[in-house]
Amino acid sequence: MGKLGKRTTSAREGIDRKALYPLGEAIALVKERANAKFDETIEIAMNLGVDPRHADQMVRGVCSLPNGTGRTVRVAVFARDAKAEEAKAAGADVVGADDLVEQVQAGKIDFDRCIATPDMMPLVGRLGKILGPRNLMPNPKVGTVTPDVTEAVKSAKGGAVEFRVEKAGILHAGVGKASFDAAKLEENIKAFADAVTKAKPSGAKGTYVKRVAISSSMGPGVHVDPSSVI
């Protein structure tokens, strides 16, 4: 068995793969096993009772984590003139209009979040095939198409996490770092689960939140009792 195999095996020891752990216990198990040489991201995976191929079962939204994500977020803003100046003053990392469109078309995407003023959307719309699959396309539903660029930049920098359900009804997000204390992680996870619950679409039938698991970047997943999260 290789090095990774031994590491993975030892990390899985003490975790009952079939058990549903209360959130506090699950966080402790994940934190104990986050022993990589970097500060691992704590991730949540939620299986939802939806089929996102139907428009009335799509789940998407944004959640401001009370304790932030722990990662440095690079923010790009599509804006002109006074709004471009406002974005720079708010701390945006990349600001532009036609020049920024050209950069993205050339494959230069050095940002994690993307914001646009409403007047820029005809221009930004051309980038749908590039930004869409990366979940970077500005969208008014999650507050990233807005005239209030100051608020949007601060929100993105301060721990706003966008979420969007994938084909199989699974939703993933980073909700903090392994270095966060357990109480802060618990607060973040509950805030995130609450935002997902509030985003329940009209077409969802039966059980909405089917399964919840948390893990660190390199660690095994731990199944969480959904009733301890929601």
Side-chain angles (χ1 to χ4, degrees):
M1 197 179 275
K3 202 170 179 185
L4 179 71
K6 277 184 186 163
R7 211 197 111 131
T8 307
T9 309
S10 68
R12 283 184 180 157
E13 275 173 21
I15 295 175
D16 181 346
R17 309 288 285 169
K18 293 181 181 138
L20 289 177
Y21 290 94
L23 181 57
E25 206 175 317
I27 289 170
L29 287 168
V30 168
K31 273 175 67 71
E32 275 166 22
R33 286 157 179 77
N35 49 21
K37 287 178 180 162
F38 61 95
D39 191 6
E40 296 181 48
T41 297
I42 302 297
E43 293 161 2
I44 187 168
M46 300 176 78
N47 290 57
L48 305 177
V50 296
D51 180 352
R53 288 174 300 183
H54 301 286
D56 67 346
Q57 293 188 45
M58 187 61 197
V59 181
R60 72 177 305 171
V62 65
C63 170
S64 280
L65 298 176
N67 301 300
T69 59
R71 64 188 279 252
T72 305
V73 178
R74 282 183 63 78
V75 178
V77 179
F78 287 92
R80 296 188 200 276
D81 308 325
K83 287 290 172 189
E85 293 309 312
E86 190 186 321
K88 286 175 190 165
D93 301 276
V94 188
V95 181
D98 301 78
D99 53 333
L100 186 49
V101 170
E102 282 171 22
Q103 274 183 39
V104 172
Q105 283 172 331
K108 192 181 178 211
I109 301 169
D110 60 346
F111 49 85
D112 312 295
R113 291 292 296 278
C114 187
I115 293 158
T117 53
D119 60 301
M120 294 299 293
M121 284 314 289
L123 199 60
V124 179
R126 294 184 213 157
L127 304 173
K129 285 184 178 167
I130 303 169
L131 297 177
R134 291 175 169 84
N135 211 13
L136 287 170
M137 192 67 186
N139 187 299
K141 285 184 183 167
V142 295
T144 46
V145 176
T146 173
D148 190 350
V149 291
T150 300
E151 184 54 39
V153 170
K154 286 185 174 162
S155 172
K157 290 270 187 189
V161 174
E162 277 185 53
F163 56 85
R164 181 177 180 161
V165 72
E166 293 157 23
K167 278 181 195 165
I170 298 171
L171 191 148
H172 294 274
V175 286
K177 292 285 187 182
S179 60
F180 282 24
D181 70 49
K184 285 186 174 172
L185 282 171
E186 187 160 338
E187 238 183 322
N188 274 4
I189 289 166
K190 285 186 171 173
F192 183 81
D194 187 50
V196 172
T197 305
K198 283 178 177 154
K200 181 178 179 178
S202 57
K205 303 280 186 286
T207 308
Y208 178 52
V209 177
K210 291 182 162 182
R211 285 193 295 278
V212 178
I214 59 170
S215 61
S216 63
S217 309
M218 308 290 285
V222 177
H223 293 284
V224 182
D225 180 355
S227 66
S228 70
V229 179
I230 295 153

Short mmCIF file of all heavy atoms in Angstrom, two decimals, residues 23-83:
data_model
loop_
_atom_site.label_atom_id
_atom_site.label_comp_id
_atom_site.label_asym_id
_atom_site.label_seq_id
_atom_site.Cartn_x
_atom_site.Cartn_y
_atom_site.Cartn_z
N LEU A 23 -23.61 17.26 14.46
CA LEU A 23 -22.69 18.20 13.82
C LEU A 23 -21.42 18.44 14.63
O LEU A 23 -20.32 18.38 14.09
CB LEU A 23 -23.40 19.53 13.53
CG LEU A 23 -22.55 20.60 12.83
CD1 LEU A 23 -21.98 20.10 11.52
CD2 LEU A 23 -23.36 21.87 12.61
N GLY A 24 -21.55 18.69 15.95
CA GLY A 24 -20.38 18.96 16.78
C GLY A 24 -19.36 17.84 16.74
O GLY A 24 -18.15 18.06 16.63
N GLU A 25 -19.87 16.60 16.82
CA GLU A 25 -18.99 15.42 16.80
C GLU A 25 -18.32 15.27 15.42
O GLU A 25 -17.13 14.96 15.32
CB GLU A 25 -19.84 14.18 17.10
CG GLU A 25 -19.05 13.04 17.71
CD GLU A 25 -19.98 11.88 18.10
OE1 GLU A 25 -21.07 12.12 18.66
OE2 GLU A 25 -19.57 10.74 17.82
N ALA A 26 -19.10 15.52 14.36
CA ALA A 26 -18.57 15.41 13.00
C ALA A 26 -17.44 16.42 12.78
O ALA A 26 -16.41 16.10 12.19
CB ALA A 26 -19.70 15.65 11.99
N ILE A 27 -17.63 17.63 13.28
CA ILE A 27 -16.58 18.66 13.14
C ILE A 27 -15.30 18.23 13.85
O ILE A 27 -14.20 18.35 13.30
CB ILE A 27 -17.08 20.03 13.68
CG1 ILE A 27 -18.15 20.61 12.74
CG2 ILE A 27 -15.93 21.03 13.84
CD1 ILE A 27 -18.89 21.82 13.30
N ALA A 28 -15.44 17.67 15.05
CA ALA A 28 -14.27 17.20 15.81
C ALA A 28 -13.53 16.11 15.03
O ALA A 28 -12.29 16.14 14.92
CB ALA A 28 -14.71 16.68 17.17
N LEU A 29 -14.27 15.18 14.44
CA LEU A 29 -13.65 14.08 13.67
C LEU A 29 -12.91 14.63 12.45
O LEU A 29 -11.79 14.20 12.14
CB LEU A 29 -14.72 13.09 13.21
CG LEU A 29 -15.31 12.18 14.29
CD1 LEU A 29 -16.56 11.46 13.76
CD2 LEU A 29 -14.29 11.14 14.78
N VAL A 30 -13.51 15.59 11.77
CA VAL A 30 -12.90 16.16 10.56
C VAL A 30 -11.65 16.98 10.93
O VAL A 30 -10.60 16.86 10.29
CB VAL A 30 -13.92 17.02 9.78
CG1 VAL A 30 -13.24 17.85 8.70
CG2 VAL A 30 -14.98 16.12 9.15
N LYS A 31 -11.76 17.79 11.98
CA LYS A 31 -10.61 18.62 12.40
C LYS A 31 -9.43 17.75 12.82
O LYS A 31 -8.28 18.03 12.49
CB LYS A 31 -11.02 19.55 13.56
CG LYS A 31 -11.63 20.88 13.08
CD LYS A 31 -12.15 21.74 14.21
CE LYS A 31 -11.07 22.28 15.15
NZ LYS A 31 -10.23 23.32 14.53
N GLU A 32 -9.70 16.67 13.56
CA GLU A 32 -8.62 15.75 14.02
C GLU A 32 -7.84 15.17 12.84
O GLU A 32 -6.66 14.88 12.94
CB GLU A 32 -9.25 14.56 14.77
CG GLU A 32 -9.52 14.79 16.23
CD GLU A 32 -10.44 13.70 16.80
OE1 GLU A 32 -10.51 12.60 16.20
OE2 GLU A 32 -11.09 13.96 17.82
N ARG A 33 -8.55 14.97 11.72
CA ARG A 33 -7.94 14.28 10.58
C ARG A 33 -7.40 15.24 9.52
O ARG A 33 -6.86 14.81 8.52
CB ARG A 33 -8.97 13.33 9.96
CG ARG A 33 -9.18 12.10 10.83
CD ARG A 33 -10.52 11.43 10.60
NE ARG A 33 -10.63 10.24 11.45
CZ ARG A 33 -10.89 10.29 12.76
NH1 ARG A 33 -11.06 11.44 13.37
NH2 ARG A 33 -10.96 9.16 13.48
N ALA A 34 -7.55 16.54 9.75
CA ALA A 34 -7.02 17.53 8.80
C ALA A 34 -5.56 17.79 9.14
O ALA A 34 -5.22 18.76 9.82
CB ALA A 34 -7.84 18.81 8.87
N ASN A 35 -4.68 16.89 8.72
CA ASN A 35 -3.27 17.00 9.12
C ASN A 35 -2.32 17.18 7.94
O ASN A 35 -1.17 16.77 7.99
CB ASN A 35 -2.87 15.78 9.97
CG ASN A 35 -3.27 14.48 9.31
OD1 ASN A 35 -3.48 14.45 8.10
ND2 ASN A 35 -3.38 13.41 10.08
N ALA A 36 -2.82 17.79 6.86
CA ALA A 36 -1.94 18.09 5.72
C ALA A 36 -1.00 19.23 6.12
O ALA A 36 -1.17 19.86 7.16
CB ALA A 36 -2.78 18.49 4.51
N LYS A 37 -0.04 19.52 5.24
CA LYS A 37 0.95 20.56 5.56
C LYS A 37 0.42 21.96 5.31
O LYS A 37 1.13 22.93 5.48
CB LYS A 37 2.22 20.32 4.74
CG LYS A 37 3.00 19.11 5.26
CD LYS A 37 4.23 18.82 4.43
CE LYS A 37 4.96 17.61 5.01
NZ LYS A 37 5.89 17.03 4.05
N PHE A 38 -0.84 22.07 4.85
CA PHE A 38 -1.44 23.40 4.64
C PHE A 38 -2.75 23.44 5.42
O PHE A 38 -3.23 22.42 5.92
CB PHE A 38 -1.68 23.65 3.15
CG PHE A 38 -2.62 22.67 2.50
CD1 PHE A 38 -3.98 22.95 2.36
CD2 PHE A 38 -2.15 21.45 2.02
CE1 PHE A 38 -4.85 22.05 1.77
CE2 PHE A 38 -3.02 20.53 1.43
CZ PHE A 38 -4.37 20.83 1.31
N ASP A 39 -3.30 24.65 5.54
CA ASP A 39 -4.56 24.82 6.29
C ASP A 39 -5.71 24.37 5.40
O ASP A 39 -6.13 25.08 4.50
CB ASP A 39 -4.71 26.30 6.69
CG ASP A 39 -5.84 26.51 7.69
OD1 ASP A 39 -6.42 25.51 8.15
OD2 ASP A 39 -6.14 27.68 8.00
N GLU A 40 -6.18 23.16 5.65
CA GLU A 40 -7.19 22.58 4.76
C GLU A 40 -8.53 23.32 4.83
O GLU A 40 -8.91 23.83 5.88
CB GLU A 40 -7.41 21.09 5.11
CG GLU A 40 -6.17 20.23 4.88
CD GLU A 40 -6.41 18.76 5.19
OE1 GLU A 40 -7.41 18.20 4.74
OE2 GLU A 40 -5.57 18.17 5.91
N THR A 41 -9.23 23.33 3.71
CA THR A 41 -10.57 23.90 3.66
C THR A 41 -11.56 22.86 4.19
O THR A 41 -11.44 21.68 3.88
CB THR A 41 -10.94 24.28 2.20
OG1 THR A 41 -10.03 25.30 1.78
CG2 THR A 41 -12.36 24.80 2.09
N ILE A 42 -12.51 23.31 4.98
CA ILE A 42 -13.58 22.42 5.43
C ILE A 42 -14.73 22.58 4.44
O ILE A 42 -15.17 23.70 4.17
CB ILE A 42 -14.05 22.77 6.86
CG1 ILE A 42 -12.88 22.69 7.85
CG2 ILE A 42 -15.21 21.86 7.29
CD1 ILE A 42 -12.24 21.32 8.03
N GLU A 43 -15.15 21.46 3.88
CA GLU A 43 -16.17 21.49 2.84
C GLU A 43 -17.44 20.78 3.29
O GLU A 43 -17.37 19.83 4.05
CB GLU A 43 -15.63 20.82 1.56
CG GLU A 43 -14.49 21.60 0.93
CD GLU A 43 -13.63 20.79 -0.03
OE1 GLU A 43 -13.94 19.60 -0.24
OE2 GLU A 43 -12.66 21.36 -0.56
N ILE A 44 -18.57 21.26 2.78
CA ILE A 44 -19.84 20.61 3.05
C ILE A 44 -20.39 20.10 1.72
O ILE A 44 -20.22 20.74 0.69
CB ILE A 44 -20.84 21.57 3.74
CG1 ILE A 44 -22.11 20.81 4.17
CG2 ILE A 44 -21.21 22.76 2.86
CD1 ILE A 44 -23.02 21.61 5.10
N ALA A 45 -21.01 18.92 1.76
CA ALA A 45 -21.71 18.38 0.59
C ALA A 45 -23.13 18.07 1.04
O ALA A 45 -23.32 17.41 2.07
CB ALA A 45 -21.02 17.13 0.08
N MET A 46 -24.10 18.57 0.30
CA MET A 46 -25.50 18.31 0.64
C MET A 46 -26.19 17.65 -0.55
O MET A 46 -26.09 18.13 -1.67
CB MET A 46 -26.21 19.63 0.98
CG MET A 46 -25.60 20.35 2.18
SD MET A 46 -26.37 21.96 2.52
CE MET A 46 -27.89 21.47 3.34
N ASN A 47 -26.84 16.50 -0.28
CA ASN A 47 -27.65 15.84 -1.31
C ASN A 47 -29.08 16.32 -1.15
O ASN A 47 -29.68 16.11 -0.09
CB ASN A 47 -27.62 14.32 -1.14
CG ASN A 47 -26.27 13.73 -1.47
OD1 ASN A 47 -25.29 14.13 -0.88
ND2 ASN A 47 -26.23 12.79 -2.39
N LEU A 48 -29.60 16.95 -2.19
CA LEU A 48 -30.94 17.53 -2.11
C LEU A 48 -31.93 16.73 -2.96
O LEU A 48 -31.55 16.19 -4.01
CB LEU A 48 -30.91 18.99 -2.59
CG LEU A 48 -29.92 19.93 -1.88
CD1 LEU A 48 -29.96 21.31 -2.50
CD2 LEU A 48 -30.20 20.01 -0.38
N GLY A 49 -33.16 16.71 -2.51
CA GLY A 49 -34.21 16.00 -3.25
C GLY A 49 -34.75 16.84 -4.38
O GLY A 49 -35.95 17.17 -4.40
N VAL A 50 -33.88 17.21 -5.32
CA VAL A 50 -34.29 18.03 -6.47
C VAL A 50 -33.65 17.48 -7.74
O VAL A 50 -32.62 16.81 -7.69
CB VAL A 50 -33.86 19.52 -6.31
CG1 VAL A 50 -34.57 20.17 -5.14
CG2 VAL A 50 -32.35 19.67 -6.18
N ASP A 51 -34.26 17.78 -8.87
CA ASP A 51 -33.68 17.47 -10.18
C ASP A 51 -33.48 18.80 -10.90
O ASP A 51 -34.42 19.37 -11.45
CB ASP A 51 -34.62 16.57 -10.98
CG ASP A 51 -34.04 16.21 -12.35
OD1 ASP A 51 -32.99 16.79 -12.72
OD2 ASP A 51 -34.62 15.37 -13.05
N PRO A 52 -32.24 19.34 -10.86
CA PRO A 52 -32.01 20.70 -11.39
C PRO A 52 -32.22 20.85 -12.89
O PRO A 52 -32.14 21.95 -13.42
CB PRO A 52 -30.57 21.00 -10.99
CG PRO A 52 -29.95 19.69 -10.68
CD PRO A 52 -31.04 18.75 -10.28
N ARG A 53 -32.51 19.71 -13.59
CA ARG A 53 -32.82 19.84 -15.02
C ARG A 53 -34.16 20.56 -15.20
O ARG A 53 -34.45 21.10 -16.26
CB ARG A 53 -32.88 18.46 -15.69
CG ARG A 53 -31.49 17.83 -15.84
CD ARG A 53 -31.57 16.43 -16.36
NE ARG A 53 -32.34 15.56 -15.46
CZ ARG A 53 -32.51 14.25 -15.66
NH1 ARG A 53 -31.96 13.68 -16.72
NH2 ARG A 53 -33.20 13.52 -14.81
N HIS A 54 -34.99 20.54 -14.14
CA HIS A 54 -36.27 21.27 -14.18
C HIS A 54 -36.06 22.65 -13.56
O HIS A 54 -35.54 22.77 -12.46
CB HIS A 54 -37.35 20.51 -13.39
CG HIS A 54 -37.60 19.13 -13.92
ND1 HIS A 54 -38.28 18.90 -15.09
CD2 HIS A 54 -37.22 17.92 -13.46
CE1 HIS A 54 -38.32 17.60 -15.32
NE2 HIS A 54 -37.68 16.98 -14.35
N ALA A 55 -36.51 23.68 -14.26
CA ALA A 55 -36.28 25.06 -13.81
C ALA A 55 -36.85 25.32 -12.41
O ALA A 55 -36.27 26.06 -11.63
CB ALA A 55 -36.89 26.04 -14.81
N ASP A 56 -37.98 24.67 -12.09
CA ASP A 56 -38.60 24.92 -10.78
C ASP A 56 -37.98 24.08 -9.66
O ASP A 56 -38.48 24.04 -8.55
CB ASP A 56 -40.13 24.71 -10.84
CG ASP A 56 -40.52 23.25 -11.08
OD1 ASP A 56 -39.63 22.45 -11.48
OD2 ASP A 56 -41.70 22.91 -10.88
N GLN A 57 -36.86 23.39 -10.00
CA GLN A 57 -36.16 22.62 -8.95
C GLN A 57 -34.69 23.07 -8.84
O GLN A 57 -33.88 22.39 -8.21
CB GLN A 57 -36.22 21.12 -9.25
CG GLN A 57 -37.63 20.56 -9.14
CD GLN A 57 -37.65 19.05 -9.23
OE1 GLN A 57 -36.86 18.36 -8.60
NE2 GLN A 57 -38.57 18.51 -10.01
N MET A 58 -34.37 24.21 -9.45
CA MET A 58 -33.00 24.71 -9.39
C MET A 58 -32.76 25.36 -8.03
O MET A 58 -33.60 26.10 -7.53
CB MET A 58 -32.80 25.76 -10.51
CG MET A 58 -31.38 26.21 -10.65
SD MET A 58 -30.32 24.84 -11.06
CE MET A 58 -28.73 25.47 -10.67
N VAL A 59 -31.63 25.06 -7.43
CA VAL A 59 -31.28 25.67 -6.14
C VAL A 59 -30.01 26.49 -6.34
O VAL A 59 -28.97 25.95 -6.70
CB VAL A 59 -31.02 24.59 -5.06
CG1 VAL A 59 -30.67 25.25 -3.73
CG2 VAL A 59 -32.23 23.68 -4.91
N ARG A 60 -30.11 27.78 -6.11
CA ARG A 60 -28.91 28.62 -6.15
C ARG A 60 -29.12 29.81 -5.23
O ARG A 60 -30.24 30.20 -4.94
CB ARG A 60 -28.57 29.05 -7.58
CG ARG A 60 -29.48 30.07 -8.19
CD ARG A 60 -28.99 30.46 -9.57
NE ARG A 60 -27.61 30.90 -9.55
CZ ARG A 60 -26.89 31.13 -10.64
NH1 ARG A 60 -27.41 30.94 -11.83
NH2 ARG A 60 -25.65 31.54 -10.56
N GLY A 61 -28.03 30.36 -4.79
CA GLY A 61 -28.13 31.51 -3.89
C GLY A 61 -26.76 31.89 -3.38
O GLY A 61 -25.73 31.45 -3.88
N VAL A 62 -26.77 32.69 -2.34
CA VAL A 62 -25.52 33.15 -1.75
C VAL A 62 -25.71 33.20 -0.24
O VAL A 62 -26.81 33.46 0.25
CB VAL A 62 -25.11 34.53 -2.33
CG1 VAL A 62 -26.10 35.61 -1.95
CG2 VAL A 62 -23.71 34.93 -1.91
N CYS A 63 -24.64 32.91 0.48
CA CYS A 63 -24.70 32.92 1.94
C CYS A 63 -23.48 33.68 2.46
O CYS A 63 -22.35 33.41 2.04
CB CYS A 63 -24.69 31.49 2.46
SG CYS A 63 -24.47 31.39 4.25
N SER A 64 -23.71 34.61 3.37
CA SER A 64 -22.59 35.29 4.02
C SER A 64 -22.24 34.52 5.28
O SER A 64 -23.02 34.48 6.22
CB SER A 64 -22.97 36.73 4.38
OG SER A 64 -22.86 37.53 3.24
N LEU A 65 -21.09 33.88 5.26
CA LEU A 65 -20.68 33.09 6.42
C LEU A 65 -20.31 34.03 7.57
O LEU A 65 -19.50 34.94 7.38
CB LEU A 65 -19.48 32.20 6.08
CG LEU A 65 -19.73 31.16 4.98
CD1 LEU A 65 -18.43 30.41 4.68
CD2 LEU A 65 -20.81 30.17 5.38
N PRO A 66 -20.88 33.82 8.76
CA PRO A 66 -20.63 34.75 9.87
C PRO A 66 -19.16 34.89 10.24
O PRO A 66 -18.72 35.95 10.68
CB PRO A 66 -21.43 34.16 11.04
CG PRO A 66 -21.88 32.81 10.61
CD PRO A 66 -21.85 32.76 9.12
N ASN A 67 -18.37 33.83 10.00
CA ASN A 67 -16.94 33.88 10.37
C ASN A 67 -16.01 33.88 9.16
O ASN A 67 -14.83 33.60 9.28
CB ASN A 67 -16.61 32.71 11.30
CG ASN A 67 -17.46 32.75 12.56
OD1 ASN A 67 -17.41 33.71 13.32
ND2 ASN A 67 -18.31 31.75 12.76
N GLY A 68 -16.58 34.20 7.98
CA GLY A 68 -15.76 34.25 6.77
C GLY A 68 -15.33 32.88 6.29
O GLY A 68 -15.59 31.87 6.94
N THR A 69 -14.64 32.85 5.15
CA THR A 69 -14.21 31.57 4.58
C THR A 69 -12.78 31.21 4.97
O THR A 69 -12.36 30.07 4.81
CB THR A 69 -14.26 31.62 3.04
OG1 THR A 69 -13.39 32.67 2.60
CG2 THR A 69 -15.66 31.86 2.52
N GLY A 70 -12.03 32.22 5.43
CA GLY A 70 -10.63 31.95 5.77
C GLY A 70 -9.71 31.98 4.57
O GLY A 70 -8.51 31.77 4.68
N ARG A 71 -10.27 32.23 3.40
CA ARG A 71 -9.40 32.29 2.22
C ARG A 71 -9.44 33.69 1.63
O ARG A 71 -10.41 34.43 1.79
CB ARG A 71 -9.79 31.25 1.17
CG ARG A 71 -11.16 31.43 0.56
CD ARG A 71 -11.50 30.22 -0.31
NE ARG A 71 -10.89 30.32 -1.62
CZ ARG A 71 -11.55 30.58 -2.74
NH1 ARG A 71 -12.85 30.77 -2.72
NH2 ARG A 71 -10.93 30.64 -3.89
N THR A 72 -8.36 34.05 0.94
CA THR A 72 -8.29 35.35 0.29
C THR A 72 -9.01 35.23 -1.05
O THR A 72 -8.65 34.39 -1.87
CB THR A 72 -6.82 35.75 0.07
OG1 THR A 72 -6.17 35.70 1.32
CG2 THR A 72 -6.72 37.15 -0.50
N VAL A 73 -10.03 36.05 -1.23
CA VAL A 73 -10.83 35.98 -2.46
C VAL A 73 -10.44 37.13 -3.38
O VAL A 73 -10.47 38.29 -2.99
CB VAL A 73 -12.34 36.07 -2.10
CG1 VAL A 73 -13.20 36.04 -3.36
CG2 VAL A 73 -12.74 34.93 -1.17
N ARG A 74 -10.08 36.77 -4.61
CA ARG A 74 -9.77 37.80 -5.61
C ARG A 74 -11.06 38.13 -6.36
O ARG A 74 -11.74 37.24 -6.87
CB ARG A 74 -8.70 37.30 -6.59
CG ARG A 74 -7.30 37.36 -5.98
CD ARG A 74 -6.23 36.94 -6.98
NE ARG A 74 -6.14 37.82 -8.14
CZ ARG A 74 -5.55 39.01 -8.17
NH1 ARG A 74 -4.97 39.49 -7.08
NH2 ARG A 74 -5.51 39.73 -9.28
N VAL A 75 -11.39 39.42 -6.40
CA VAL A 75 -12.66 39.86 -6.96
C VAL A 75 -12.43 40.70 -8.22
O VAL A 75 -11.62 41.63 -8.21
CB VAL A 75 -13.46 40.69 -5.92
CG1 VAL A 75 -14.77 41.19 -6.52
CG2 VAL A 75 -13.74 39.86 -4.68
N ALA A 76 -13.15 40.34 -9.29
CA ALA A 76 -13.12 41.13 -10.53
C ALA A 76 -14.44 41.88 -10.67
O ALA A 76 -15.50 41.35 -10.32
CB ALA A 76 -12.92 40.22 -11.73
N VAL A 77 -14.38 43.11 -11.17
CA VAL A 77 -15.59 43.90 -11.38
C VAL A 77 -15.59 44.45 -12.82
O VAL A 77 -14.62 45.07 -13.25
CB VAL A 77 -15.70 45.08 -10.38
CG1 VAL A 77 -16.97 45.89 -10.65
CG2 VAL A 77 -15.71 44.57 -8.94
N PHE A 78 -16.69 44.16 -13.53
CA PHE A 78 -16.91 44.77 -14.84
C PHE A 78 -17.67 46.07 -14.62
O PHE A 78 -18.84 46.05 -14.20
CB PHE A 78 -17.74 43.83 -15.73
CG PHE A 78 -16.97 42.64 -16.23
CD1 PHE A 78 -16.97 41.45 -15.52
CD2 PHE A 78 -16.23 42.72 -17.40
CE1 PHE A 78 -16.26 40.35 -15.98
CE2 PHE A 78 -15.51 41.62 -17.87
CZ PHE A 78 -15.53 40.43 -17.16
N ALA A 79 -17.00 47.21 -14.84
CA ALA A 79 -17.64 48.51 -14.63
C ALA A 79 -16.86 49.57 -15.39
O ALA A 79 -15.71 49.38 -15.77
CB ALA A 79 -17.65 48.84 -13.14
N ARG A 80 -17.53 50.70 -15.61
CA ARG A 80 -16.89 51.83 -16.30
C ARG A 80 -16.91 53.08 -15.42
O ARG A 80 -17.74 53.19 -14.52
CB ARG A 80 -17.65 52.18 -17.58
CG ARG A 80 -17.70 51.14 -18.65
CD ARG A 80 -18.34 51.74 -19.92
NE ARG A 80 -18.85 50.74 -20.82
CZ ARG A 80 -18.12 50.09 -21.72
NH1 ARG A 80 -16.83 50.35 -21.83
NH2 ARG A 80 -18.67 49.19 -22.51
N ASP A 81 -16.04 54.00 -15.74
CA ASP A 81 -16.06 55.37 -15.19
C ASP A 81 -16.18 55.41 -13.66
O ASP A 81 -15.38 54.79 -12.98
CB ASP A 81 -17.19 56.19 -15.86
CG ASP A 81 -17.10 56.14 -17.40
OD1 ASP A 81 -15.96 56.10 -17.89
OD2 ASP A 81 -18.14 56.09 -18.06
N ALA A 82 -17.20 56.12 -13.16
CA ALA A 82 -17.32 56.32 -11.71
C ALA A 82 -17.48 54.99 -10.97
O ALA A 82 -16.94 54.81 -9.88
CB ALA A 82 -18.50 57.23 -11.41
N LYS A 83 -18.23 54.05 -11.59
CA LYS A 83 -18.44 52.76 -10.94
C LYS A 83 -17.14 51.95 -10.88
O LYS A 83 -16.90 51.20 -9.94
CB LYS A 83 -19.53 51.94 -11.67
CG LYS A 83 -20.94 52.48 -11.43
CD LYS A 83 -21.39 52.24 -9.99
CE LYS A 83 -22.69 52.91 -9.66
NZ LYS A 83 -23.00 52.87 -8.23
#
